[in-house]
Amino acid sequence: ERKQAEEALRESEERYRGLVELSPDAIFIHTGGKLIFANSQGAKLLGVDRPENIYGREALDFVHPDSLELVKQRIAKAFQSGEPNPPAEEMLVRADGSQVPVEMASVPFKYQGENALLAIARDITERKRMQEELLKGQKLESLGLLAGGIAHDFNNILTVIVGNLSIARLQLDPSHKIVNRLDLCEKAA
């Protein structure tokens, strides 16, 4: 029975380890402010070869200064309320100093008898790029509509000018010296 229980426990651990390692999202655990676990996606997100390379480092060392206050508030709120933090956009800093936008959710829990925070981060670089492209497209479309409207209004003004030039030319004798100038104005319009 003991061997069966040990085998069942081993299989359960392997199953959960596999799920964590296969997760497309980065998974981190930190306690006392220090990172104590990261899956392979977490290591990749933070720009290190292996998760072990970040163990013992301050979790906040990887948070961009612009997001630091928000992250501190979310961590404090999670520990005070005991409730999960819903996903929020944050900016992280990789080991090489480059930045990566993420959507981060976290939940407090007990880990080996200590208060810990399980954080799940999703790289949203591609989503941000697509949003920027969409916004750029919308701006160009708006600009096109504005230009079309201005061109239409300008065309209406030119039509009135050309019409009045034609009427003025008809009221003058064809040999009058101003007729040539009216012709030039009409061609220009």
Side-chain angles (χ1 to χ4, degrees):
E1 287 178 12
R2 192 182 91 222
K3 282 190 174 191
Q4 286 177 340
E6 287 174 357
E7 182 63 23
L9 179 62
R10 188 186 60 72
E11 287 176 5
S12 176
E13 286 176 357
E14 283 181 21
R15 183 172 43 249
Y16 284 107
R17 184 176 297 116
L19 289 172
V20 168
E21 285 304 315
L22 291 174
S23 172
D25 294 331
I27 300 174
F28 306 100
I29 297 175
H30 63 87
T31 184
K34 301 213 182 287
L35 289 165
I36 59 171
F37 174 81
N39 66 352
S40 56
Q41 193 64 28
K44 180 180 173 187
L45 182 70
L46 296 181
V48 295
D49 296 335
R50 298 180 353 207
E52 295 80 20
N53 293 345
I54 58 172
Y55 292 173
R57 299 233 355 230
E58 291 288 330
L60 294 177
D61 287 351
F62 293 100
V63 177
H64 190 275
D66 293 346
S67 297
L68 196 55
E69 202 52 45
L70 170 70
V71 172
K72 286 179 180 178
Q73 290 172 3
R74 286 172 51 87
I75 291 170
K77 178 182 169 238
F79 283 129
Q80 288 171 355
S81 70
E83 296 293 319
N85 277 320
E89 286 188 17
E90 299 173 6
M91 186 67 73
L92 298 183
V93 179
R94 292 187 168 120
D96 66 1
S98 63
Q99 301 172 13
V100 58
V102 297
E103 185 176 74
M104 181 84 71
S106 59
V107 62
F109 73 111
K110 288 286 186 190
Y111 184 78
Q112 298 177 344
E114 292 187 48
N115 288 332
L117 197 67
L118 171 71
I120 300 174
R122 176 172 290 156
D123 184 344
I124 57 172
T125 303
E126 186 62 24
R127 179 170 65 181
K128 291 288 227 185
R129 188 192 63 73
M130 290 176 68
Q131 285 173 341
E132 287 172 12
E133 289 294 321
L134 179 62
L135 186 60
K136 191 186 301 181
Q138 289 172 340
K139 285 180 181 178
L140 285 174
E141 183 180 346
S142 296
L143 187 59
L145 288 172
L146 178 64
I150 291 171
H152 181 74
D153 290 346
F154 192 65
N155 189 43
N156 288 343
I157 293 168
L158 288 177
T159 301
V160 171
I161 291 171
V162 169
N164 282 312
L165 289 170
S166 294
I167 291 171
R169 194 171 6 101
L170 289 174
Q171 293 177 348
L172 293 173
D173 183 82
S175 62
H176 196 282
K177 64 181 182 178
I178 198 95
V179 170
N180 188 36
R181 292 199 182 262
L182 290 175
D183 285 340
L184 289 173
C185 288
E186 190 174 13
K187 285 179 185 175

